[in-house]
């Protein structure tokens, strides 16, 4: 798998678009998911995912060794963060509006065969997604980078261009808000939250 | 949970605390069940975030080859440039070969003079440095052996127009004779130098040393005449063979037998072997036809690679 990926990368570096497209097909769900987590908007995440792959192909000569997945994820996060900053300068484009359409939610890839478990996981998923979406943009970015991509605080500070202390406080506040949000939906959550909600 | 504790617990889970902060927090955790509960909650939040399922991309993000494939366009001026480059390369190669032959003639006139002069210097030195006779003679002979490595054009020229064997033999005979004469003249000077060392006189002021210098000059002149008569026939092989013979003769002719021991001779021989240009002796073992084939092979490979490159650029 890794060897095959290296062959695709080498061919893509020589301008082989078809070889690059094999990489796209491998990572497009992951890249879209990352963009969606950060932006909270399906249409915008779609745009950013496409932009990330185009940028990756154009800058592929800069990719040396290491994980292609980590490299293209970094491009995606940068693209999303740049978009958020651009929208911050133009508040009318804000995506944190109230007309969030639950039906437009992206489709879940992994499903369980057990209908009961599936229903529970769907409820839990909806709760987490909703709580995550209620976070501010700046909190979503740091939580995705820290908890999903497992970046260090120093790496996050470098990408988001904030101090280490700010990174630390943003991550902490984001997690506490998620916790409070999930507690408010106690019936849907694991035992630890239901018990806490009851007491 | 206070903001401060929240940051501490969050950074603790991310392994971003200093050793001191970590130790203090772990001490508090051991005695504070509420803090332990808050830590467990945060740990659960992180796990839930990490377990958020992968989402299906609404479409494929594959790129269209038509939009990103660099079209291969043939530029007429590139073809012209490539043709011009080929012409320049071929012309340059021919001129280089021709000039190599001319240079070989020029250097051949100078090299025999150096070869003849070097034993003369050896003899002069031997008159004043009787304690280091073997080393001096070997060093001078080694210089002779090194001379051919500075004559690549002579080598190429000689290779392209192979030298008759009898020419090499005649050259070897003339230079060896001149060297023998030089050392014959040097022998009395060695005795004079010994005497001078005993009396405190400078060896070069003795009549024997003066006459030796005059006769050595005659030997040099003779070598130069021979070299002028055969200007294009000195090559790496000939010079290396002659230099090796001169080195052997210098060891046997100049150094008195009673001053030689097996160890010093071996050391001197090793010194000569180390200072000879790498492959010089091996080159001399190659036949002229082999060398000629090698050169032709290299030229053929060069043009093959050139045409391959041009084919790739202009398919």
């Amino acid at each position: 798998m890794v060897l095959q990926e290296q062959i695709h990368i080498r061919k893509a570096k020589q301008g082989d678009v078809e070889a690059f497209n094999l990489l796209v097909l491998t990572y497009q769900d992951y890249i879209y998911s990352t963009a969606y987590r950060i932006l909270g908007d399906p249409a915008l995440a779609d745009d950013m995912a496409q932009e990330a792959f185009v940028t990756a192909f154009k800058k592929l000569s800069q990719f040396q060794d290491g994980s292609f997945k980590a490299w293209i994820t970094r491009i995606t996060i940068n693209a999303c963060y740049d978009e958020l900053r651009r929208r911050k300068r133009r508040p009318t484009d804000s995506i944190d509006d109230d007309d969030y359409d639950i039906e437009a939610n992206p489709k879940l890839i992994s499903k369980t065969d057990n209908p009961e478990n599936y229903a529970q996981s769907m409820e839990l998923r909806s709760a987490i997604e909703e709580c995550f979406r209620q976070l501010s943009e700046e909190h979503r970015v740091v939580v995705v980078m820290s908890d999903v991509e497992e970046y260090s605080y120093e790496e996050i500070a470098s990408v988001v261009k904030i101090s280490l202390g700010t990174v630390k406080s943003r991550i902490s506040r984001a997690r506490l808000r998620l916790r409070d949000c999930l507690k408010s939906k106690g019936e849907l959550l694991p035992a630890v939250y239901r018990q806490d909600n009851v007491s | 949970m206070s903001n401060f504790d929240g940051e501490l617990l969050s950074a603790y889970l991310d392994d971003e605390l200093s050793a001191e902060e970590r130790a203090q927090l772990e001490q508090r955790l051991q005695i504070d069940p509420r803090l332990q509960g808050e830590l467990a909650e945060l740990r659960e939040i992180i796990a839930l975030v990490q377990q958020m399922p992968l989402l299906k991309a609404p479409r494929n993000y594959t790129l269209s080859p038509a939009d990103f494939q660099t079209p291969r366009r043939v530029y007429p001026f590139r073809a012209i440039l490539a043709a011009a480059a080929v012409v320049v390369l071929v012309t340059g190669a021919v001129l280089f070969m021709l000039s190599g032959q001319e240079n070989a003639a020029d250097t051949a006139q100078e090299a025999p003079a150096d070869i003849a002069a070097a034993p003369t210097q050896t003899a002069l030195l031997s008159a004043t440095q009787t304690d280091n006779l073997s080393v001096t003679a070997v060093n001078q002979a080694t210089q002779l052996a090194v001379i051919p490595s500075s004559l690549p054009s002579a080598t190429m020229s000689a290779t392209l127009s192979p030298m008759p064997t009898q020419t090499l033999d005649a050259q070897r005979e003339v230079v060896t004779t001149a060297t023998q004469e030089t050392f014959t003249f040097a022998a009395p000077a060695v005795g004079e130098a010994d005497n001078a060392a005993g009396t405190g006189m400078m060896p070069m002021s003795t009549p024997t040393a003066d006459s030796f210098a005059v006769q050595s000059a005659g030997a040099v002149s003779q070598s130069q005449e021979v070299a002028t008569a055969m200007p294009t026939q000195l090559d790496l092989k000939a010079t290396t063979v002659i230099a090796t013979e001169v080195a052997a003769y210098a060891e046997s002719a100049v150094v008195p037998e009673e001053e030689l021991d097996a160890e010093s001779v071996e050391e001197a021989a090793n010194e000569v072997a180390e200072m000879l240009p790498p492959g010089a002796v091996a080159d001399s073992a190659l036949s002229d036809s082999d060398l000629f084939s090698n050169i032709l092979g290299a030229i053929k490979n060069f043009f093959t690679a050139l045409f391959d490159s041009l084919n790739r650029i202009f398919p």
Side-chain angles (χ1 to χ4, degrees):
Chain A
M1 180 67 182
V2 175
L3 181 64
Q4 196 67 27
E5 182 173 301
Q6 288 175 350
I7 293 171
H8 295 332
I9 291 169
R10 183 169 53 78
K11 286 182 177 176
K13 278 184 173 181
Q14 294 168 351
D16 188 338
V17 180
E18 296 297 345
F20 183 77
N21 282 341
L22 295 174
L23 298 168
V24 172
L25 293 174
T26 303
Y27 294 113
Q28 63 182 4
D29 289 335
Y30 186 83
I31 291 304
Y32 173 75
S33 297
T34 302
Y36 178 76
R37 304 290 181 222
I38 293 173
L39 300 168
D41 180 88
L44 198 53
D46 181 39
D47 289 346
M48 288 302 104
Q50 181 70 81
E51 184 180 319
F53 283 117
V54 170
T55 304
F57 184 72
K58 289 178 178 174
K59 293 185 174 179
L60 198 56
S61 61
Q62 296 175 14
F63 174 70
Q64 300 297 328
D65 293 321
S67 165
F68 179 78
K69 181 182 177 184
W71 182 70
I72 197 167
T73 302
R74 179 70 170 255
I75 290 175
T76 307
I77 290 172
N78 283 335
C80 291
Y81 190 70
D82 287 346
E83 179 64 18
L84 289 178
R85 290 202 303 182
R86 190 184 68 79
R87 286 176 176 264
K88 207 168 212 174
R89 289 195 298 270
R90 298 165 60 185
T92 52
D93 292 341
S94 175
I95 56 178
D96 279 335
D97 47 20
D98 294 329
D99 57 353
Y100 177 71
D101 181 8
I102 192 70
E103 295 302 322
N105 266 347
K107 293 177 180 173
L108 190 65
I109 287 179
S110 51
K111 295 179 180 177
T112 174
D113 293 335
N114 186 324
E116 190 177 341
N117 289 344
Y118 176 69
Q120 190 176 6
S121 73
M122 284 303 291
E123 289 172 344
L124 184 57
R125 176 219 171 199
S126 296
I128 295 169
E129 296 284 355
E130 189 175 337
C131 290
F132 203 88
R133 188 181 171 277
Q134 287 175 6
L135 292 176
S136 68
E137 294 167 350
E138 56 190 21
H139 283 163
R140 283 200 299 265
V141 171
V142 294
V143 169
V144 167
M145 294 178 76
S146 171
D147 295 348
V148 180
E149 303 302 330
E150 299 184 337
Y151 281 31
S152 71
Y153 284 12
E154 196 171 345
E155 287 174 307
I156 296 170
S158 169
V159 172
V160 185
K161 297 180 177 60
I162 54 179
S163 69
L164 273 177
T166 307
V167 171
K168 188 186 283 188
S169 64
R170 276 191 191 176
I171 290 174
S172 169
R173 286 177 186 169
R175 286 171 177 165
L176 292 178
R177 287 186 184 178
L178 274 178
R179 182 198 64 178
D180 294 341
C181 177
L182 289 170
K183 275 185 175 178
S184 70
K185 305 177 186 299
E187 291 300 321
L188 304 173
L189 298 177
V192 59
Y193 299 105
R194 287 199 299 271
Q195 289 167 2
D196 203 43
N197 208 28
V198 170
S199 65
Chain B
M1 187 189 332
S2 69
N3 282 340
F4 178 73
D5 281 348
E7 284 184 19
L8 272 181
L9 292 171
S10 197
Y12 176 75
L13 291 172
D14 292 332
D15 200 20
E16 295 277 357
L17 288 182
S18 67
E20 186 180 359
E21 288 172 328
R22 170 177 286 271
Q24 287 176 354
L25 182 62
E26 285 175 346
Q27 280 183 347
R28 286 182 58 199
L29 282 168
Q30 285 178 349
I31 58 173
D32 189 343
R34 182 175 179 80
L35 205 59
Q36 289 174 17
E38 289 170 346
L39 182 68
E41 284 180 359
L42 282 178
R43 190 173 275 134
E44 191 69 24
I45 291 291
I46 292 171
L48 288 172
V49 170
Q50 288 174 337
Q51 289 166 14
M52 281 197 297
L54 208 57
L55 306 176
K56 176 75 178 165
R59 61 187 171 100
N60 285 341
Y61 299 115
T62 49
L63 309 183
S64 167
D67 293 339
F68 293 93
Q69 202 103 49
T70 307
R72 285 180 175 272
R73 287 180 292 177
V74 177
Y75 298 94
F77 73 90
R78 283 193 178 179
I80 295 169
L81 275 179
V86 170
V87 170
V88 168
L89 280 171
V90 171
T91 308
V94 170
L95 288 176
F96 176 74
M97 290 174 188
L98 292 174
S99 67
Q101 289 181 336
E102 290 173 5
N103 288 340
D106 294 342
T107 48
Q109 288 182 356
E110 297 168 6
D114 293 338
I115 293 168
T120 308
Q121 293 168 5
T122 305
L124 287 170
L125 286 169
S126 70
T128 56
Q129 300 176 357
T130 52
D131 291 341
N132 296 318
L133 276 177
S134 61
V135 173
T136 306
V138 168
N139 283 344
Q140 294 296 323
T142 304
Q143 288 176 12
L144 290 176
V146 172
I147 288 170
S149 67
S150 63
L151 302 174
S153 57
T155 307
M156 176 175 283
S157 169
T159 307
L160 292 173
S161 55
M163 185 176 62
T165 309
Q166 62 270 26
T167 306
L168 174 62
D169 292 336
Q171 198 172 7
R172 178 191 295 123
E173 184 181 350
V174 169
V175 178
T176 307
T177 303
T179 310
Q180 285 174 343
E181 285 179 13
T182 303
F183 284 112
T184 304
F185 298 144
V190 173
E192 289 297 324
D194 284 337
N195 294 336
T199 58
M201 294 173 62
M202 292 298 290
M204 289 307 289
S205 65
T206 62
T208 308
D210 288 340
S211 60
F212 155 75
V214 171
Q215 293 174 44
S216 296
V220 171
S221 175
Q222 186 185 354
S223 295
Q224 285 176 326
E225 287 173 11
V226 173
T228 309
M230 301 181 293
T232 64
Q233 294 170 345
L234 182 69
D235 68 349
L236 176 62
K237 282 169 44 179
T239 333
T240 307
V241 170
I242 293 165
T244 309
E245 290 179 0
V246 169
Y249 183 77
E251 282 186 41
S252 62
V254 178
V255 184
E257 285 186 10
E258 59 271 19
E259 292 185 31
L260 284 175
D261 56 55
E263 190 176 335
S264 62
V265 170
E266 189 179 352
E267 285 177 2
N270 288 337
E271 200 174 341
V272 170
E274 288 174 6
M275 295 181 71
L276 279 171
V281 177
D283 285 347
S284 68
L286 281 175
S287 69
D288 292 330
S289 60
D290 286 343
L291 290 170
F292 190 58
S293 300
N294 289 344
I295 295 289
L296 284 179
I299 293 171
K300 184 183 173 188
N301 289 339
F302 168 75
F303 281 107
T304 303
L306 178 66
F307 287 127
D308 283 348
S309 303
L310 290 173
N311 280 335
R312 278 201 293 272
I313 297 169
F314 307 109

